[in-house]
Amino acid sequence: MLAQRIASAAIGVPVILFLIWVGGVWYVAAVAVALGIASAEYQHARRTWLDPVCVLAALITAGIAVGAHDSTVVWLAWLGAALVLMPLAALVRPAGGDLAIDVFWT
């Protein structure tokens, strides 16, 4: 387990440092992908990976990252979409159990 962590750090740290050094669109794309994956992983605690709500959460989260790089208005539009669409998506496709908990989780 430790060897796997060391190997991933030996590969990951130089890649991250390179992306920071390059900056611009490449850095924003990497951050958007990382945040999209993190959002999908968070949703996976209650849903399957390819559940439409999980995919929508990943796309909206990546959109927020790209919008934050683009301009303030675009970021706010993505944030508004998240605040409106995600609870509606959870209401349409509940994960089971208590509906209120599912909406707040999403």
Side-chain angles (χ1 to χ4, degrees), residues 77-90:
W78 279 102
L79 186 62
L83 293 173
V84 172
L85 292 178
M86 293 311 301
L88 289 176

Side-chain angles (χ1 to χ4, degrees), residues 28-29 31-32 35 59-79:
V28 172
V31 168
L35 288 175
L59 291 175
I60 287 178
T61 304
I64 290 172
V66 172
H69 175 71
D70 189 33
S71 71
T72 303
V73 176
V74 174
W75 177 80
L76 291 174
W78 279 102
L79 186 62

Side-chain angles (χ1 to χ4, degrees), residues 19 36 39 48 51 55 62 68 70 89 94 100:
L19 286 170
S39 176
T48 61
D51 185 83
V55 173
D70 189 33

Side-chain angles (χ1 to χ4, degrees), residues 39-69:
S39 176
E41 187 173 344
Y42 179 77
Q43 290 295 323
H44 184 64
R46 291 189 61 89
R47 303 175 178 279
T48 61
W49 284 108
L50 294 178
D51 185 83
V53 176
C54 186
V55 173
L56 180 65
L59 291 175
I60 287 178
T61 304
I64 290 172
V66 172
H69 175 71

Side-chain angles (χ1 to χ4, degrees), residues 6-45:
I6 291 173
S8 65
I11 295 170
V13 169
V15 169
I16 290 170
L17 291 175
F18 176 74
L19 286 170
I20 291 171
W21 180 69
V22 171
V25 174
W26 291 103
Y27 178 74
V28 172
V31 168
V33 167
L35 288 175
I37 291 170
S39 176
E41 187 173 344
Y42 179 77
Q43 290 295 323
H44 184 64

Side-chain angles (χ1 to χ4, degrees), residues 46-47 87 90-105:
R46 291 189 61 89
R47 303 175 178 279
L91 286 172
V92 172
R93 290 193 50 102
D98 190 8
L99 185 61
I101 291 174
D102 190 45
V103 168
F104 285 117
W105 183 274

